[in-house]
């Protein structure tokens, strides 16, 4: 089992939106970074644990827990010309972008990025590193366990 932090803009999909969805599940669509795509496509497994992180908002931070519920498959938005995630180079025979399905586990108190920075135990957390803009990052088991204690 692996641990992940996955960012979502709450104006697109929030932890509350996920909780209200059918089967409390969403396709993690729209990722257009090769490293983040590769994490989903090559490393994520069903049952992997996820910190659901609200980003690009007034109060960014961990807002809940989720888990990977379906292995990677082609992201349908890459084929939709009306989607902001459309990729004209992608074909059904040669998709460029993938997503996994993520299922709601529980909403937590919001653990903001400022609070995360306060803990020396999280000094190596990727989301806290300068220049890191990835929407999906792996979480070390020790970091996962520490954050679970402060939730």
């Amino acid at each position: 089992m692996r641990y992940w932090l996955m960012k979502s803009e709450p104006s697109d999909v929030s932890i509350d939106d996920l909780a209200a969805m059918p089967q409390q599940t969403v396709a993690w669509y729209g990722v257009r970074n090769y490293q983040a795509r590769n994490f989903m496509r090559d490393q994520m497994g069903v049952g992997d644990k996820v910190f659901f992180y609200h980003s690009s908002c007034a109060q960014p931070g961990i807002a809940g827990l989720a888990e990977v519920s379906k292995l990677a498959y082609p992201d349908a938005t890459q084929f939709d010309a009306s989607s902001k995630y459309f990729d004209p180079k992608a074909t059904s025979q040669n998709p460029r972008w993938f997503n996994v399905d993520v299922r709601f586990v529980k909403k937590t108190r919001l653990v903001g990025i400022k609070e995360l920075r306060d803990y020396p135990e999280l000094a190596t957390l990727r989301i806290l590193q300068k220049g890191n803009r990835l929407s999906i990052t792996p979480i070390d088991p020790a970091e996962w366990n520490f954050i679970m204690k402060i939730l």
Side-chain angles (χ1 to χ4, degrees):
M1 177 187 326
R2 291 193 156 157
Y3 304 98
W4 305 95
L5 184 141
M6 298 175 77
K7 293 180 184 176
S8 179
E9 296 177 14
S11 60
D12 190 16
V13 177
S14 71
I15 192 71
D16 292 327
D17 295 334
L18 178 58
M21 289 182 173
Q23 288 83 45
Q24 298 183 312
T25 301
V26 68
W28 207 264
Y29 62 88
V31 172
R32 296 299 182 264
N33 172 283
Y34 288 108
Q35 188 174 10
R37 177 210 59 191
N38 293 349
F39 286 146
M40 286 193 291
R41 186 189 66 192
D42 303 334
Q43 296 184 29
M44 286 187 175
V46 171
D48 281 3
K49 306 300 181 195
V50 173
F51 287 129
F52 192 107
Y53 186 94
H54 284 173
S55 69
S56 299
C57 60
Q59 294 184 316
I62 296 170
L65 303 175
E67 67 182 11
V68 176
S69 61
K70 184 176 180 182
L71 293 177
Y73 59 95
D75 180 343
T77 63
Q78 69 190 307
F79 309 121
D80 180 358
S82 66
S83 171
K84 69 180 181 177
Y85 300 113
F86 176 66
D87 185 338
K89 294 180 181 176
T91 66
S92 57
Q93 297 78 27
N94 190 22
R96 295 176 64 170
W97 305 107
F98 292 80
N99 51 235
V100 295
D101 283 0
V102 173
R103 181 175 30 246
F104 175 83
V105 172
K106 88 179 212 184
K107 184 175 179 176
T108 64
R109 74 176 183 90
L110 183 74
V111 180
I113 192 154
K114 290 178 182 177
E115 181 181 348
L116 293 171
R117 289 187 195 284
D118 287 341
Y119 298 108
E121 296 88 347
L122 301 176
T124 60
L125 191 67
R126 284 195 191 187
I127 194 171
L128 302 179
Q129 305 309 305
K130 285 196 183 291
N132 180 19
R133 298 192 35 83
L134 284 176
S135 62
I136 298 171
T137 55
I139 299 289
D140 181 82
E143 294 167 339
W144 177 271
N145 290 332
F146 181 83
I147 293 169
M148 289 297 291
K149 288 178 187 172
I150 65 171
L151 287 177

